[in-house]
Each structure stands twice: as structure tokens, then as C-alpha cells.
Amino acid sequence: MRTLILGGTTFDHIVTLPELPAPQPQTIHRAPFHEGTGSTGAGKALALTKLGLPVTLYSAVGDDAYGRHIVADLRAQGVDAHYVLDPAGTERHINLMDAQGRRISLFITQASPTLAFDHAQVAGLIRASACVVLNIISYCQPLIPLLRDYPHPIWTDLHDYDGHNPYHQPFIEAAQYIHLSSDNLPDYRPVMEQLRAAGKRLVVCTHGAAGATLLTTAGQWLEQAAVPAPAVVDSNGAGDNFFAGFLFGFLRQEPLQKCLQYATLCGSWCVGAFGLVDPQLSSPRLEEEWQQHFGNA
């Protein structure tokens, strides 16, 4: 089952600090950093590729050094990707991270909200897929009409949705399977119920180190505790790895609790490694670690 991931490649500059800076003028003399490919589409595509699933990524880059880095990096890691050129250049972020993995993201350049897509090419990629992940990137919204009458599952990741932001509504309406976080939802269960009432087949809400909650279309609630990372190295991409681990299990028709457990392991490993994925991520490792953590439960 080939999964098509629509949108989400950036070049990220990641600065790691003991704590996030206070809102006052200051000079920080030691600020270790690393940089490279970022964003939610790249993170999901890399994780699913390492797990052995056939994946195609369709995203935007600029005709610049940052875009060329992304293209070469994803190709070197085995991701099948197609790109549309953005005349505004490659989107870039500065992510300030603290020792607990908390993040402030600064969008120092942004992708164009609309792009000159080859609609025939995108329609062909959609037809060749058995699952679509629609990321909440502005330039993906004009692609939503191409998904009308799509007969297979459509997933979206709403990230830090607050339950009201109208920006997310077209993506919610297009998808049947929803992931989101509780970062901006202290009372997340009513929002999950609303999404279920709107006809969503599955809603998953992540809570960082506090685990995750799942609501089925039948109204069943499942909870899953997080697997602590041995060390917090770089939390960028953890949510995308969680998503990928869950989708990996779901496409293999595993029980939903096991999907959550796969997801939790993938997210934990990502936090413990630099970059968008743990270099050691693989389906045999995932199954072996699942047996060790959960097999006897």
C-alpha cells in the first residue's frame, strides 16, 4: 500500500539551550546548533521509509542551496520524492530548544501559499496511492479538490490545533483520520468528541511525555503512556515519528492499542537522536522493542 504524503519540507536551524530565553535583552554566549532538513512531510516520509513502507512525498522547495540540500538528503535516505519549485525560495525555520525538548519555532522565510502545481502529476500520484497524508501546509489546501471522491483513507495531522482555528477546517473536512496534540487543548476530549460526531473514523491526541489518547468511531477510548527517551537530544520530528509508527501499525491491521505502542516507541527514539528520525529506526527493531516493552502485557 503506497502512502502519498502531501507537503512539508523546510530547512531548519536548531539551537539548543539549557532553557528557553527570558523575554528581555541578553547575550547568550554558548548556543550549540545543528541544521538540516525539517518539517512534517519530511519527518513522516523518512520514518515510514525506514519502517519499510512504500512512500511518495510531494512537496515544495526553492531553487536555492537549502532546497538542493533537502532534495539530496531525502534522496540519500531512500525517500521517493517529487517537488514543485517555490519562487519564494525554500521555507526556513529557526527552532529554539530547551533541555526538556520544548520548542519555540521562528519561521524566518515562508513558502508561497499557492504554487504552480502540475495538477495532472499530482492526480496521478493520488491515483497510485492507497493512503494519503494531507499536511496542514498552506500550499496543500489548493490540492484538496483533487482528493474529492478519493476511495482510500485520508489522514491529517492538525498539530497544535486549538479546537477553533478556521485555518484547519478544510483539512479536517477532507480527512477521515485525525491526529492532533493537546498543546493548545487543555480540555481535549470534547474536541475529539466533536471530530467523531463530524464523522471522523479515528482521532488520536498526543500529550508529549504524558502519552496519547485515542477515540474510535464507535466511541471507545484508549490510553497509552509514553516510553521515556533515555535522553532528550532533539525532539524535532517526534510527533511525525509517532504518526508514522501509528500508521505503520494501522496499515498492517494491527490492534489499535498496538498501533499506539508502535507510535510511542518511534516518538521516543526520535527524541533521543539528532535529526528527524533515529538512524536505527526499522520495522525489525520496532517489533523487537515492542516485544520487550509490551509483548508480555
Side-chain angles (χ1 to χ4, degrees):
M1 294 180 66
R2 177 161 293 274
T3 295
L4 174 62
I5 299 174
L6 295 175
T9 45
T10 62
F11 190 88
D12 289 359
H13 313 262
I14 299 167
V15 180
T16 303
L17 302 169
E19 56 188 26
L20 296 175
Q24 62 190 36
Q26 59 186 291
T27 299
I28 298 173
H29 291 281
R30 179 169 171 74
F33 80 99
H34 60 283
E35 56 188 11
T37 304
S39 196
T40 189
K44 292 180 173 70
L46 278 166
L48 289 169
T49 297
K50 286 186 174 294
L51 288 169
L53 293 186
V55 176
T56 298
L57 171 67
Y58 186 81
S59 192
V61 295
D63 183 14
D64 49 36
Y66 305 109
R68 288 187 285 276
H69 171 94
I70 291 168
V71 171
D73 181 31
L74 294 181
R75 182 190 298 123
Q77 297 192 67
V79 175
D80 174 33
H82 303 260
Y83 303 96
V84 58
L85 283 181
D86 188 340
T90 301
E91 182 169 321
R92 294 162 56 203
H93 302 166
I94 295 176
N95 292 343
L96 304 181
M97 313 296 301
D98 72 5
Q100 289 74 48
R102 294 176 297 185
R103 177 177 62 196
I104 296 175
S105 292
L106 309 175
F107 286 39
I108 54 175
T109 66
Q110 290 190 321
S112 301
T114 58
L115 294 166
F117 292 110
D118 181 338
H119 283 244
Q121 180 192 26
V122 180
L125 293 174
I126 292 170
R127 287 194 300 272
S129 69
C131 176
V132 167
V133 178
L134 175 66
N135 285 311
I136 57 168
I137 313 296
S138 294
Y139 58 73
C140 289
Q141 188 169 334
L143 298 176
I144 291 176
L146 297 177
L147 294 170
R148 290 194 186 119
D149 302 320
Y150 180 69
H152 305 301
I154 300 173
W155 297 66
T156 194
D157 183 353
L158 303 179
H159 295 273
D160 56 355
Y161 179 54
D162 63 2
H164 306 288
N165 191 336
Y167 174 85
H168 297 79
Q169 196 57 39
F171 301 94
I172 293 171
E173 292 174 358
Q176 304 94 29
Y177 298 85
I178 306 287
H179 276 239
L180 71 161
S181 83
S182 61
D183 288 355
N184 286 328
L185 283 174
D187 194 13
Y188 56 88
R189 284 197 171 217
V191 173
M192 295 176 73
E193 286 278 18
Q194 290 166 15
L195 291 167
R196 172 178 171 262
K200 305 309 166 189
R201 299 176 191 170
L202 198 70
V203 184
V204 179
C205 187
T206 59
H207 318 302
T213 303
L214 181 151
L215 177 61
T216 70
T217 189
Q220 180 186 13
W221 292 93
L222 298 178
E223 300 288 344
Q224 180 60 51
V227 173
V232 177
V233 175
D234 179 4
S235 64
N236 288 282
D240 296 317
N241 278 253
F242 180 99
F243 183 105
F246 187 94
L247 184 58
F248 170 79
F250 188 88
L251 294 178
R252 294 187 358 157
Q253 300 183 334
E254 299 285 3
L256 293 176
Q257 194 74 55
K258 188 173 183 179
C259 294
L260 285 172
Q261 292 162 350
Y262 277 163
T264 297
L265 288 167
C266 291
S268 173
W269 296 338
C270 178
V271 170
F274 283 114
L276 289 176
V277 293
D278 182 339
Q280 304 305 315
L281 178 63
S282 68
S283 56
R285 181 193 177 197
L286 182 58
E287 191 59 39
E288 180 181 348
E289 293 284 340
W290 180 85
Q291 288 289 345
Q292 291 184 15
H293 281 84
F294 305 107
N296 296 321

